[in-house]
Structures are given as structure tokens and as C-alpha cells.
Amino acid sequence: MSHQTPTAAQAAGPARPRVLSGIQATADSFHFGNYLGALRQWVDLQEDYQPFFFIADLHALTVPQDPKALRERFYRCAAQLIAMGIDPDRSALFVQSHVPEHTQLTWVLECITGFGEARRMTQFKDKSAKEGESAASVGLFAYPILQAADILLYRPKYVPVGEDQRQHLELTRDLAQRFNHRYKKTFPLPEPYILKSTGRITDLQNPTAKMSKTNSSASGIVEMLDEPKVSAKKIRSAVTDSQAQVRYDDEGQPGISNLLTIYSALTGTKVADLEQQYAGKGYGDFKGDLAEVVVDFVTPFRDRTNELLDDRAELDGVLRRGAEQAREVASRTLAEVYDRVGLVRPTL
Ligand code: TYM
């Protein structure tokens, strides 16, 4: 792998608009919701935008983590991102905690965020409603403000995410607008990039709920690094509906609709064409075929991830270079912000 050479588009350049996104280092494997809802778009957007993608290790700390497992996940995240097509020659791929400007800007943004505004964010609200306010950390409370800082530092045009991040994007835009209004125009307003078709992949066993690491049962979630035959089994035993027709109907038949979405996204075949192909056939045929599609997709992904995990020094190098590229942009934004709010930089 060579890393330093700019691509033709970069070299030819006026700078392309930026895209930025992040994923938490909270699981040993990404799942299909992460991949289809967000990560695939990261890969596609590398073509026409200047990409900044990061592993949100600081966000992971907002709930208790085992330090050893977190350290391992850091590498697993990096390897998976590269295996799915994030190209370190084109994208700045980095780790959030390697760029201290993220926490530095967070403080400034926290000072313009209302307490009530932060309290309304669903993650904190849900956890404190379920387990009591003292079960949630101050970190969890401030989580969306760190996310706003992650985004605004890079002044991106788009932020490719799943539907569940929309509220955080709205807060980010509100804070950007408030800062611009109170001081001077500093932040363009970032736009969420959320696909209607795959923005919310649901749990295979509970198809009205989001597929999620924290809430799904093991059989409800397809992990990208699972043994392929385990994933195939999960697909074959996914909950389907009572109408016995392979037809997309999000409300009436959420189970088969979710599977149609996954099938269509993995093969590029339109949902309407799949409906036609399976007209008169049962759910069993459909699920058997989808199970094969899933095996064909995850097998090379898993092999490539494992290969990359064998060379940690290479991954360290990629992340180091990514952090350097990120800091170049982030430090400029932070200097402007400090200046605008009236903080005086130390004299040399
Ligand atoms: P995280 O780590 O929970 O998820 C990573 C991405 O996967 C998407 N996603 C889904 N999309 C569709 N269907 C699903 N079932 C599904 N589950 C997860 C998420 O929407 C997300 O895009 N707060 C973020 C991480 C973050 C971030 C940022 C994102 C930190 N800073 C700055 C963008 C910009 C999170 O917890 O994502």
C-alpha cells in the first residue's frame, strides 16, 4: 500500500467538498445496520468528496468499557473499514482521541448548549427514563455535543449516517447556527446524508425495532464478522409475516420488507424486481436465496479483515497518517473558534 500520493482528483484540485462520519468502537464486529445504513455510503462518497472518517473511541467511553476489549476493537474497527473499501490513500481514516481538537471544541460548544436542549436528546433521555438519571454519566449527557464538535471541526457538506443519528445532526446544525449568529459566520451547516431505503435496518427477530448492538438479541443481528454459516442461519430463521407473500409493505409486513431491503441493497436488484422474481414462491425460497447472497458477501469481507488484522503496524501507520491529515484541518478550525470567542493564544 502506498499512502502519500494524492489521487489525480486531489492533485488536479480546487478542494472538493468534504464528507465526514464516525462509528463507535463499541462492538467486536460491525453489523448490517451499520454497513447498509451508513458505511456503504462512506465508501461511495470517497469518489467525489474529500472524506474524513473516524473511529469514535471517546464516544465509546460514555458507557462502561473493558479497556482490553476497547483496545482490540480499535484495530477491528480500522481493519473492517479498510476491508469494506475505505481507501486510506483517498480518505483521512483516523481515531477520534488522536485529534485532541475534538474535545477542545466540545468545551466551547458545551458552553453554548442549553441544559434542557441536551437533556432532550434521546439516548440520555431513554437511559435515564429506564434506569434513572444517576445511571447515565455526564459523558452520555454531553455525547451529542462531542458529536457536534466532531462534525463542525471539518466543515463538511454531508454527514453519511443512519436514520437514528438525525436528531444529533439537528443539534449540530442548531449549535452551528447559534455560534455563527453569536460570533461570526464560522460553520457552514452540514447536511445529513441518510438513504431512505436503508436508513433503518431492523432486527431480524423483532422487525419493528432497529437492528442494534445494544438492544438486539444475538439472532436478531447480522454481524459482518460472524461465521458466514451463522449469518445464513439467522437469515433463514428471521421472523417473517403471516401473509406468505414476498411483497414490500413496511407497515403491514415489516419482516419480509426488511429482508427485501437487505437483499436489494446487497445485490443491486430493485425491490420491485425481487417481488416479481418471487411471485408465487414462499418465504422459505426467498430466505434460502438471501442466505446465500449474505454468505457470498460476508466471506471475502471477513477474510480480508482477518488479513489486515495480522499487520497491526500497518494499521497503526494508516491511522497515524489519517490523524495528521485530520489535525491539519481541525487545528485551523479550532484556532478560528478560539479567536472568535475571545480566547488569546499563548505567545511563543
Ligand atoms: P454508531 O456507532 O451507533 O453507528 C454507526 C453508523 O451506523 C448507523 N446505524 C444504522 N443504520 C441503519 N440501520 C441500523 N439499524 C443502524 N444501526 C446503526 C448509525 O446511524 C451510524 O451512522 N453517534 C454515532 C457515531 C458518531 C458520529 C459522529 C457519526 C460519533 N461522532 C460524527 C457521524 C458524525 C453512533 O453512535 O453511531
Side-chain angles (χ1 to χ4, degrees):
M1 271 196 263
S2 82
H3 299 277
Q4 304 294 1
T5 358
T7 61
Q10 279 166 340
R16 293 170 297 161
R18 298 190 186 123
V19 288
L20 167 126
S21 198
I23 183 157
Q24 286 201 69
T26 42
D28 290 339
S29 168
F30 297 155
H31 59 71
F32 267 36
N34 299 137
Y35 178 68
L36 298 175
L39 303 175
R40 225 162 63 128
Q41 286 64 259
W42 296 16
V43 175
D44 293 343
L45 289 166
Q46 291 180 116
E47 294 292 327
D48 297 317
Y49 294 88
Q50 193 191 348
F52 292 82
F53 297 128
F54 68 94
I55 299 163
D57 56 348
L58 296 172
H59 274 113
L61 292 181
T62 56
V63 291
Q65 300 288 340
D66 169 42
K68 193 161 164 254
L70 187 60
R71 226 167 271 135
E72 177 61 22
R73 283 170 186 165
F74 163 103
Y75 286 107
R76 292 173 82 93
C77 285
Q80 288 179 88
L81 289 171
I82 298 170
M84 71 181 49
I86 298 301
D87 174 0
D89 286 343
R90 284 201 263 178
S91 293
L93 177 60
F94 63 99
V95 180
Q96 190 181 31
S97 67
H98 293 182
V99 182
E101 286 80 1
H102 287 238
T103 42
Q104 291 173 296
L105 180 60
T106 301
W107 181 255
V108 177
L109 296 179
E110 279 172 348
C111 294
I112 64 164
T113 307
F115 200 82
E117 196 175 26
R119 177 176 255 153
R120 280 194 296 277
M121 296 288 116
T122 46
Q123 242 166 345
F124 176 78
K125 215 169 75 180
D126 290 353
K127 191 164 171 97
S128 43
K130 253 193 255 160
E131 299 167 37
E133 214 166 74
S134 52
S137 64
V138 175
L140 190 72
F141 183 68
Y143 177 118
I145 309 165
L146 174 58
Q147 181 159 352
D150 296 337
I151 297 169
L152 295 178
L153 276 176
Y154 301 90
R155 304 189 233 225
K157 180 166 174 55
Y158 290 122
V159 182
V161 285
E163 188 57 52
D164 61 348
Q165 298 300 312
R166 194 181 285 280
Q167 192 191 40
H168 293 157
L169 263 291
E170 274 160 19
L171 176 73
T172 305
R173 290 167 60 92
D174 287 348
L175 294 178
Q177 250 165 335
R178 191 170 308 153
F179 188 96
N180 290 346
H181 182 72
R182 200 170 287 185
Y183 300 102
K184 183 175 172 202
K185 184 153 192 319
T186 307
F187 301 117
L189 300 189
E191 286 174 39
Y193 186 94
I194 301 174
L195 292 194
K196 204 163 174 291
S197 52
T198 54
R200 187 171 179 275
I201 299 295
T202 60
D203 183 314
L204 298 185
Q205 292 301 320
N206 180 13
T208 52
K210 180 182 84 167
M211 183 181 286
S212 135
K213 188 71 214 167
T214 37
N215 294 323
S216 296
S217 65
S219 49
I221 184 169
V222 187
E223 312 246 24
M224 306 274 293
L225 294 178
D226 255 349
E227 279 273 356
K229 61 175 190 288
V230 171
S231 301
K233 186 158 177 251
K234 288 183 186 178
I235 295 285
R236 280 195 303 267
S237 43
V239 164
T240 29
D241 313 280
S242 54
Q243 297 182 25
Q245 269 182 39
V246 180
R247 199 167 49 81
Y248 189 93
D249 169 9
D250 207 4
E251 292 198 350
Q253 304 206 93
I256 194 71
S257 301
N258 188 43
L259 296 181
L260 274 164
T261 299
I262 294 173
Y263 200 143
S264 167
L266 290 181
T267 58
T269 312
K270 289 200 187 91
V271 167
D273 293 341
L274 290 171
E275 286 175 334
Q276 244 182 8
Q277 196 178 319
Y278 287 94
K281 294 191 185 160
Y283 289 148
D285 291 334
F286 176 82
K287 289 200 273 188
D289 290 351
L290 176 57
E292 273 178 39
V293 166
V294 166
V295 168
D296 289 347
F297 170 72
V298 293
T299 304
F301 170 77
R302 197 166 174 263
D303 293 346
R304 180 76 186 120
T305 301
N306 287 330
E307 246 171 60
L308 288 159
L309 279 171
D310 282 342
D311 192 349
R312 308 259 163 147
E314 173 71 22
L315 293 175
D316 283 330
V318 164
L319 297 171
R320 194 176 52 245
R321 280 184 291 276
E324 279 163 15
Q325 291 165 349
R327 284 204 79 178
E328 239 176 71
V329 177
S331 61
R332 260 185 274 132
T333 309
L334 186 74
E336 247 178 69
V337 166
Y338 273 13
D339 203 39
R340 285 184 183 167
V341 301
L343 299 179
V344 179
R345 274 176 255 171
T347 49
L348 292 176

